[in-house]
Amino acid sequence: MAPMTTGSGFGEEMHALVERLYPLCRSITGDGVRATLEIVGEYLPLEVHEVPTGTQVLDWTVPQEWNIRDAYVADPAGNRVVDFAASSLHVLGYSVPVSATMPLSELRGHLHTLPEQPKLVPYRTSYYKPEWGFCLAQETLDALPDGEYEVRIDSTLADGHLTYAEHVVPGRVTDEVIVSCHVCHPSLANDNLAGIAVATFLARALAEQTPYYTYRFLFAPGTIGAITWLARNKERIDQVQHGLVLACTGDRGSLTYKRSRRGDAEIDRVMRHVLEASERPHGIVEFTPYGYDERQFCSPGFDLGVGSLTRTPYAGYPEYHTSADNPDFVSPEAMEDTLAVCREAFAVLDRNRRYLNLSPYGEPQLGRRGLYDALGGRSDTKQAQMAMLWVLNLSDGEHDLLDVAERSGLPFDTVAAAADALGAAGLIKA
């Protein structure tokens, strides 16, 4: 496993990972997913799962596996005017094989462009309907002469497997936090190679400590991958206490947190607190059953406390699902900022507890327990003292430390440190 550096180098390392993954042709199944996971596996030990075609997963069925070797459209002079070798976006995802010659008038029905963005190539798929097609810039299409065109897609749709991977960071308890990102999109840097990179380095950061929760990182194709994981883990889903879906984590927009279906799950409260306390520009939006895989984890039968963290939300930037979503579109600084927020949030989540005051009748004498003396010389002595009093007062088994921080207006770290000191003095217990 490659060694992890310290300091501000994470952004550059994450960007380098995005650049390395960018050329690979990914889809919901196939060798592109395996190649992606193999590279991520150089950074993290992964448990890779292969689920056979035809496997029933909740209301879905694992589809046939799609692989592609070459594809092009050649003009009447034999020039490749659309070439899969130049970009994996040029082929409609899951295209069935084709080898034919046809006039431009017939070919047009299989060509996808963005007339309003004439220089860009769109990203299009046809996962569950047999179809073939190509994606190209509108200005390329406009320049094509009439005549006979050679069309070739060297692909296979055959029984195989759906591939996903997990990485687990063991915690002090077996209750889990799920961190999920999708690995199915081809050459799109923000959606979602940046998410893969942030998840990878987040896992490595957590592994350098001993977290309270067990953190399970899921690298899976969108929709069908999350559904497959849920179907295969229904018996242990009660272990999942919290979760976060990472997507679009590398653009230069401000951070956006999408609440879980519950709206007041602990992860929702933690993310709001961290984003507000950090004074970063940010947005918090309500849950909708559309977007990324938070909608699978938050489906009513599971109703897990899983939110979603992005920078600019999906479809909220003009580069979304186009060839403009390239490595230049994502920045090391943005990915590093997203990573920092995730680490801050999980640090709060890991320390957030409900406590019970063991001396609830009146205020216990802190001085004779040496608690006031322990504060001597601290620059935040008064703040730390107030934190102790607040923790004692709200340690009724119903309020957690995040409640204390928000009600008192004190920093969470100060509140958590006060709880540690009071616990060591035998005045509260979790």
Side-chain angles (χ1 to χ4, degrees):
M1 189 172 77
M4 187 172 184
T5 62
T6 58
S8 61
F10 294 162
E12 295 295 341
E13 291 181 77
M14 287 186 284
H15 197 271
L17 178 56
V18 168
E19 289 183 314
R20 189 176 173 195
L21 294 173
Y22 184 75
L24 299 176
C25 181
R26 282 163 291 273
S27 189
I28 56 174
T29 63
D31 291 335
V33 174
R34 295 187 186 97
T36 299
L37 296 177
E38 185 175 339
I39 290 173
V40 173
E42 296 176 17
Y43 293 78
L44 298 172
L46 296 179
E47 182 179 2
V48 178
H49 304 269
E50 298 275 7
V51 184
T53 296
T55 301
Q56 188 71 28
V57 286
L58 305 181
D59 194 49
W60 295 59
T61 304
V62 173
Q64 288 189 308
E65 183 175 322
W66 183 68
N67 286 294
I68 183 168
R69 287 156 290 279
D70 192 19
Y72 61 87
V73 174
D75 66 13
N79 301 308
R80 291 193 178 192
V81 292
V82 184
D83 194 351
F84 170 75
S87 171
S88 59
L89 295 180
H90 277 309
V91 175
L92 178 76
Y94 252 63
S95 280
V96 298
V98 60
S99 182
T101 301
M102 62 187 66
L104 180 60
S105 58
E106 180 182 349
L107 177 60
R108 282 181 181 273
H110 296 276
L111 300 180
H112 304 270
T113 65
L114 294 167
E116 69 282 7
Q117 296 174 291
K119 295 183 179 295
L120 302 182
V121 178
Y123 164 56
R124 297 287 185 270
T125 65
S126 183
Y127 294 142
Y128 301 104
K129 179 182 177 182
E131 187 61 84
W132 65 268
F134 290 87
C135 299
L136 66 160
Q138 180 66 44
E139 63 180 20
T140 301
L141 176 58
D142 292 343
L144 296 181
D146 288 333
E148 294 291 308
Y149 283 76
E150 181 188 358
V151 178
R152 168 81 168 161
I153 297 178
D154 181 13
S155 65
T156 54
L157 265 171
D159 287 352
H161 296 82
L162 178 146
T163 309
Y164 71 89
E166 295 174 284
H167 171 78
V168 176
V169 180
R172 298 197 297 275
V173 297
T174 57
D175 287 346
E176 290 187 356
V177 179
I178 293 288
V179 181
S180 173
C181 61
H182 59 276
V183 297
C184 52
H185 286 18
S187 297
L188 298 172
N190 198 41
D191 184 20
N192 189 37
L193 297 179
I196 295 171
V198 170
T200 298
F201 279 78
L202 178 58
R204 298 180 74 187
L206 288 169
E208 292 182 348
Q209 58 199 60
T210 304
Y212 177 75
Y213 289 108
T214 292
Y215 286 82
R216 183 176 298 273
F217 287 78
L218 178 61
F219 300 86
T223 305
I224 187 65
I227 286 171
T228 299
W229 185 87
L230 285 165
R232 301 183 82 208
N233 291 274
K234 285 180 73 173
E235 300 305 315
R236 49 181 300 279
I237 211 72
D238 288 345
Q239 287 181 243
V240 179
Q241 302 301 308
H242 319 282
L244 192 62
V245 172
L246 295 175
C248 301
T249 61
D251 67 87
R252 292 167 175 81
S254 58
L255 285 157
T256 300
Y257 177 72
K258 177 181 173 181
R259 298 181 194 269
S260 71
R261 177 180 181 268
R262 299 178 193 173
D264 61 351
E266 191 170 344
I267 188 68
D268 301 327
R269 297 171 56 232
V270 166
M271 290 303 305
R272 178 179 61 81
H273 176 82
V274 166
L275 288 168
E276 289 181 356
S278 73
E279 298 185 345
R280 289 177 173 89
H282 69 276
I284 296 178
V285 299
E286 297 302 320
F287 174 80
T288 61
Y290 187 75
Y292 294 107
D293 282 328
E294 68 278 357
R295 68 189 197 271
Q296 310 307 333
F297 299 113
C298 293
S299 56
F302 295 108
D303 195 22
L304 297 174
V306 176
S308 173
L309 183 65
T310 64
R311 299 197 74 84
T312 306
Y314 61 88
Y317 49 95
E319 297 84 358
Y320 178 77
H321 279 194
T322 76
S323 53
D325 185 359
N326 58 44
D328 291 337
F329 177 63
V330 300
S331 78
E333 295 78 14
M335 286 188 285
E336 191 159 11
D337 184 54
T338 308
L339 175 63
V341 167
C342 291
R343 296 183 69 175
E344 291 165 24
F346 289 165
V348 172
L349 192 66
D350 255 18
R351 298 174 73 187
N352 194 34
R353 304 278 185 284
R354 285 181 172 84
Y355 287 90
L356 190 64
N357 188 333
L358 301 179
S359 182
Y361 298 103
E363 182 181 302
Q365 189 174 6
L366 302 182
R368 70 179 174 84
R369 292 176 171 86
L371 291 171
Y372 283 150
D373 293 342
L375 300 177
R378 286 179 53 158
S379 60
D380 62 343
T381 298
K382 185 172 182 180
Q383 197 176 60
Q385 178 181 331
M386 286 303 301
M388 286 189 185
L389 297 176
W390 272 107
V391 171
L392 284 168
N393 191 268
L394 292 180
S395 290
D396 53 9
E398 295 182 6
H399 295 86
D400 57 25
L401 295 184
L402 192 54
D403 289 322
V404 177
E406 293 188 338
R407 188 163 174 180
S408 67
L410 296 168
F412 182 87
D413 284 349
T414 302
V415 169
D420 289 342
L422 292 167
L427 287 172
I428 62 172
K429 71 173 182 179

